[in-house]
Amino acid sequence: MASQDIIRRSGTSGMTPAAKGRNSSEQVAKLFDATKCNGCKACQVSCSEWNDLREEVGTFQGSYQNPMSLSGQCWTLMEFHEVMESNKLRWQFTHSACMHCADPACLKACSTSGAIIQHANGVVDFDSDKCIGCGYCASACPFDVPKIDPKDNKAYKCTMCSDRLAVGLEPSCVKSCTTGALRFGSREDMLFYSEKRVAELKEKGFPKAGLYNPEGVGGTAMMMILHDITQPDSYNMPVDPQIPLSVTLWQDWVKPLGAAGLIATAAVACLHKITVGRNIVEEDQPGYQPPEEEVKDKEEDDQ
């Protein structure tokens, strides 16, 4: 249960007190092995069932992928990619869901206090009750994951089944995977397994196999083993995802400077009140002396 402690909240600066006792061994990770996936969509269906999501049935658009993108009613999507190698067609499947970045851009961009939180186990979760639907999280995410649901104008994404994790269960998508393409456990265990798996793939004829765990966002709690780590874009994954510069400037520079400006303004106002304001006597207060011009005007009127 300690892993469910909130270490970071949107709309606030710095870490929460729970982050001080953070133990790296508490961090969890989900590992997707694209070399084992057969595109059965069991993960996609189980996510919809567990979270009670009902995306509208789409139309055929030349691909077995359906729907064509993530949405407020589709938090996990199995993407189908056709790759030609030596005049032969090969399928590449992508388990598309939230990457749960160690340094989440969505949380940095969100200005609503507590609408996005990060747990000690590395899971990034949304609180829809606090979401105002501004869409900053969707525009900031380098993986294009959060989506605004037009039904209630709130942002949604994969939560890695944080409600299941809280009671010691694995995510529903991992539970339903029949090929072993999805694994779940401590981050250390998943990194250890991925090293062994990548070495095995290289021995089997995939010299460019590797682990997709981008450092541009501090690493992710949802990692991927790919056939060719040099071409993650063939899986519809960004080559070098980074937190947008606009988000960094806003969070690290503009907001602190704005807060400092407000404090400075309040300080100047208080100083003015103490040094100047007390020397001014209002007309209805004893000891009031009218200005000389006012006295002269009154004397001229009397004459």
Side-chain angles (χ1 to χ4, degrees), residues 5-9 14-22:
D5 289 341
I6 297 173
I7 63 171
R8 196 181 300 178
R9 298 177 188 271
M15 309 289 278
T16 66
K20 296 180 180 179
R22 183 181 184 183

Side-chain angles (χ1 to χ4, degrees), residues 17-295:
K20 296 180 180 179
R22 183 181 184 183
N23 187 352
S24 59
S25 63
E26 296 174 352
Q27 296 183 21
V28 297
K30 182 172 67 172
L31 179 64
F32 170 65
D33 189 345
T35 65
K36 290 186 176 182
C37 180
N38 63 3
C40 69
K41 298 187 180 181
C43 57
Q44 181 175 328
V45 173
S46 61
C47 176
S48 297
E49 287 297 318
W50 180 259
N51 295 291
D52 194 22
L53 304 174
R54 295 295 181 269
E55 177 63 288
E56 295 182 2
V57 178
T59 57
F60 182 71
Q61 300 185 30
S63 172
Y64 291 114
Q65 179 178 323
N66 192 310
M68 296 307 295
S69 65
L70 295 170
S71 69
Q73 291 294 315
C74 179
W75 300 353
T76 298
L77 176 64
M78 182 52 60
E79 295 185 5
F80 289 67
H81 307 287
E82 297 179 1
V83 178
M84 294 297 296
E85 289 184 351
S86 302
N87 293 324
K88 293 183 179 180
L89 175 66
R90 180 171 64 83
W91 285 104
Q92 284 189 169
F93 304 107
T94 303
H95 175 82
S96 181
C98 178
M99 301 297 288
H100 297 275
C101 308
D103 189 13
C106 59
L107 188 148
K108 276 191 170 184
C110 181
S111 58
T112 306
S113 178
I116 304 178
I117 56 178
Q118 185 179 31
H119 295 287
N121 59 5
V123 173
V124 181
D125 203 354
F126 280 18
D127 188 344
S128 59
D129 292 334
K130 296 180 180 179
C131 178
I132 61 173
C134 64
Y136 290 162
C137 58
S139 60
C141 178
F143 301 99
D144 192 28
V145 169
K147 301 296 182 183
I148 303 295
D149 193 339
K151 294 181 180 179
D152 57 5
N153 199 38
K154 294 180 181 294
Y156 294 95
K157 70 169 190 64
C158 158
T159 64
M160 203 181 283
C161 292
S162 57
D163 51 347
R164 291 175 61 90
L165 301 188
V167 293
L169 300 176
E170 59 189 352
S172 60
C173 58
V174 179
K175 182 72 174 179
S176 64
C177 184
T178 59
T179 64
L182 285 173
R183 286 175 173 263
F184 178 80
S186 69
R187 182 175 176 81
E188 294 178 357
D189 288 346
M190 294 301 100
L191 288 173
F192 177 75
Y193 171 81
S194 64
E195 289 182 5
K196 293 177 60 179
R197 178 59 179 165
V198 168
E200 181 182 341
L201 287 170
K202 289 182 178 180
E203 292 179 357
K204 291 184 176 181
F206 295 96
K208 296 182 180 180
L211 179 67
Y212 185 77
N213 181 29
E215 292 298 329
V217 291
T220 57
M222 211 286 274
M223 302 176 288
M224 297 183 179
I225 297 176
L226 307 180
H227 297 86
D228 187 353
I229 193 61
T230 63
Q231 295 183 344
D233 51 329
S234 65
Y235 294 84
N236 196 28
M237 302 301 296
V239 176
D240 184 23
Q242 301 280 343
I243 298 177
L245 180 60
S246 58
V247 174
T248 303
L249 290 175
W250 170 257
Q251 186 72 16
D252 297 339
W253 293 95
V254 177
K255 288 180 68 176
L257 287 175
L262 289 174
I263 295 173
T265 302
V268 170
C270 292
L271 183 63
H272 180 272
K273 180 66 175 178
I274 294 172
T275 58
V276 179
R278 296 184 62 180
N279 296 330
I280 299 176
V281 182
E282 302 294 338
E283 294 183 13
D284 57 346
Q285 293 181 349
Y288 170 74
Q289 294 182 357
E292 294 182 1
E293 295 180 357
E294 205 175 296
V295 174

